[in-house]
C-alpha cells in the first residue's frame, strides 16, 4: 500500500511539471519590432503620343520625291530679268534668303513632295501637290514650288508657296498651309486650331495690331495715303472674320501658333510675314 501511494504521488508531480508554464524570468525575450521601409511611390510615366500610321514607317513625315530646276531663260528679255533678280538678291540678301518674306524663289525650282501619312486627307493633299507640280512643268515663265514643314507634339504643319512670273507681266504667287493631326491623320481647320490654343479671332487681331504697332510708322493699307504708306502697310486685322478664317495661313512651329500676316513691301513683292500668336 505504501508503495502504491508513493508511485501515485510521483505521477502527480510529473504531470504538474509538464503543465506548468515558464516563469517570467524563464520567458524568452520577444524580438524587437523592426519598421519596414515604405515602398517607393512609383511615378506615373508620361503618356506617349500615339501617332497615325505612316505610308512608309522608315521615312519622315514629309518626303521629297524630286526637285527640278526649270531653266527657261532663253530670250534676251528673260536674260535681263535674270540679271535684275541677281542684283536684287545681292543688294537685299536678307529679304530674299528669308523664305517667308517673298512669294517666290530666285531660281525657277519646283519640288514634288508627299505627306507620309496613311489617311484619306493626306491622300487628297498628295494628289493635289502632284497635279500642281506637273502643271508647272509645262507652263512658261519662272515657276516655283517649295514648302516648309514643322513636326510638333501632335500637329504636322506644312506651309507651301507656289507661283510663277512671266517677264513683262506680274508675279503670281500664293502661300497656303496644311495642318495635320498626326494622331489620326486628319486635317485640322483654322477654327479647330485656334480652339486648341484657347484663342479667339479677337485674340489674333490683338496680336496682329501689337505686332504692326511695334513697326512704328506702318499703317493699315485701307488707311494709307502717301506713297510711302502704300508701299509699307499691312492688311487691316479687322478684316479677319469667322466666315473667312479658313483662307488665312495659320501654322504651328515648336508648338507655338503663327499667323502669316500680309505686309505690303516692295522688296517683299506684296508678301506676308510670320507673326507669333501664342
Amino acid at each position: 500500500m505504501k508503495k502504491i501511494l508513493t508511485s501515485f504521488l510521483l505521477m502527480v508531480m510529473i504531470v504538474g511539471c509538464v503543465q506548468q508554464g515558464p516563469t517570467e524570468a524563464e520567458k524568452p525575450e520577444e524580438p524587437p519590432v523592426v519598421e519596414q521601409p515604405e515602398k517607393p511611390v512609383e511615378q506615373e510615366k508620361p503618356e506617349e503620343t500615339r501617332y497615325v500610321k505612316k505610308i512608309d514607317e522608315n521615312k519622315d513625315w514629309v518626303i521629297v520625291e524630286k526637285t527640278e530646276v526649270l531653266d527657261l531663260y532663253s530670250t534676251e528679255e528673260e536674260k535681263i530679268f535674270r540679271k535684275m533678280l541677281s542684283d536684287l538678291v545681292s543688294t537685299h540678301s536678307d529679304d530674299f534668303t528669308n523664305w517667308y518674306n517673298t512669294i517666290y524663289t530666285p531660281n525657277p525650282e519646283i519640288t514634288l513632295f508627299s505627306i507620309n501619312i496613311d489617311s484619306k486627307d493626306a491622300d487628297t493633299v498628295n494628289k493635289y501637290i502632284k497635279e500642281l507640280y506637273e502643271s508647272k512643268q509645262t507652263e512658261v515663265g519662272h515657276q516655283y514650288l517649295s514648302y516648309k514643314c514643322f513636326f510638333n507634339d501632335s500637329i504636322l504643319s506644312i506651309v507651301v508657296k507656289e507661283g510663277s512670273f512671266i517677264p513683262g507681266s506680274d508675279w503670281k504667287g500664293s502661300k497656303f498651309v496644311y495642318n495635320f493631326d498626326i494622331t489620326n491623320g486628319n486635317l485640322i481647320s483654322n477654327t479647330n486650331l485656334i480652339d486648341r490654343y484657347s484663342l479667339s479671332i479677337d485674340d489674333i487681331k490683338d496680336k496682329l495690331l501689337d505686332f504692326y504697332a511695334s513697326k512704328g510708322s506702318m499703317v493699315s493699307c485701307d488707311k494709307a495715303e502717301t506713297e510711302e504708306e502704300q508701299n509699307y502697310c499691312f492688311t487691316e486685322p479687322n478684316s479677319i472674320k469667322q466666315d473667312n478664317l479658313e483662307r488665312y495661313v495659320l501654322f504651328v512651329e515648336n508648338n507655338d501658333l503663327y499667323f502669316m500676316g500680309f505686309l505690303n513691301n516692295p522688296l517683299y513683292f506684296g508678301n506676308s510675314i510670320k507673326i507669333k500668336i501664342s
Side-chain angles (χ1 to χ4, degrees):
M1 184 66 179
K2 189 175 181 179
K3 286 183 179 181
I4 293 172
L5 183 60
T6 301
S7 298
F8 177 76
L9 290 172
L10 183 60
M11 288 177 64
V12 171
M13 290 177 64
I14 292 172
V15 172
C17 290
V18 172
Q19 291 179 343
Q20 183 180 2
T23 64
E24 289 295 325
E26 291 173 340
K27 285 183 179 179
E29 293 184 5
E30 294 184 2
V33 177
V34 179
E35 292 187 6
Q36 298 294 326
E38 293 183 5
K39 279 188 174 182
V41 179
E42 293 185 2
Q43 294 183 350
E44 293 185 3
K45 295 181 179 179
E47 188 176 345
E48 294 183 3
T49 304
R50 301 187 66 177
Y51 298 125
V52 68
K53 182 181 178 183
K54 291 180 177 180
I55 298 172
D56 187 338
E57 294 293 345
N58 297 317
K59 294 184 179 180
D60 292 333
W61 291 98
V62 178
I63 302 171
V64 174
E65 306 289 348
K66 55 185 172 180
T67 296
E68 183 177 0
V69 176
L70 304 176
D71 193 1
L72 303 175
Y73 297 97
S74 56
T75 66
E76 286 302 315
E77 188 178 23
E78 289 172 335
K79 289 177 181 178
I80 293 172
F81 172 68
R82 171 170 281 197
K83 177 67 167 57
M84 181 190 75
L85 269 183
S86 177
D87 292 343
L88 278 173
V89 171
S90 62
T91 54
H92 302 287
S93 58
D94 290 343
D95 297 314
F96 281 89
T97 54
N98 187 331
W99 189 87
Y100 296 99
N101 282 359
T102 56
I103 57 175
Y104 75 104
T105 55
N107 295 315
E109 186 175 275
I110 57 176
T111 298
L112 175 62
F113 62 92
S114 61
I115 317 301
N116 189 20
I117 294 177
D118 188 7
S119 73
K120 289 183 178 179
D121 283 353
D123 185 56
T124 300
V125 170
N126 289 339
K127 287 179 180 177
Y128 174 75
I129 295 299
K130 186 175 181 181
E131 290 172 0
L132 184 62
Y133 177 88
E134 291 174 347
S135 70
K136 291 185 174 299
Q137 289 180 306
T138 59
E139 292 178 7
V140 297
H142 180 113
Q143 301 295 326
Y144 52 94
L145 172 62
S146 60
Y147 76 95
K148 281 189 178 297
C149 66
F150 306 99
F151 175 79
N152 305 275
D153 287 343
S154 60
I155 298 172
L156 175 69
S157 289
I158 302 129
V159 183
V160 184
K161 74 174 182 180
E162 62 83 27
S164 62
F165 178 79
I166 299 175
S169 182
D170 292 329
W171 293 95
K172 292 182 180 179
S174 64
K175 283 196 184 81
F176 51 94
V177 66
Y178 298 111
N179 292 299
F180 280 94
D181 185 329
I182 48 179
T183 65
N184 57 31
N186 297 333
L187 283 169
I188 307 171
S189 67
N190 283 347
T191 301
N192 179 270
L193 193 60
I194 64 174
D195 285 345
R196 292 190 183 203
Y197 282 82
S198 300
L199 296 171
S200 66
I201 292 178
D202 288 336
D203 293 327
I204 293 176
K205 291 178 181 179
D206 290 341
K207 289 286 185 179
L208 295 182
L209 288 171
D210 289 343
F211 174 82
Y212 291 128
S214 70
K215 297 299 178 183
S217 61
M218 291 183 62
V219 298
S220 61
C221 292
D222 61 335
K223 297 178 182 178
E225 297 178 356
T226 67
E227 183 178 353
E228 182 179 1
E229 287 178 340
Q230 290 171 356
N231 286 337
Y232 295 87
C233 62
F234 60 86
T235 298
E236 176 58 55
N238 288 328
S239 63
I240 303 171
K241 304 181 186 304
Q242 186 63 54
D243 59 0
N244 67 6
L245 180 62
E246 298 307 320
R247 70 182 180 88
Y248 290 95
V249 177
L250 284 164
F251 65 97
V252 182
E253 179 181 356
N254 295 326
N255 293 309
D256 288 319
L257 185 62
Y258 285 86
F259 182 95
M260 295 299 292
F262 178 81
L263 182 65
N264 188 23
N265 182 321
L267 297 179
Y268 300 162
F269 292 92
N271 199 17
S272 49
I273 186 168
K274 60 184 285 193
I275 301 169
K276 188 175 178 180
I277 300 299
S278 70

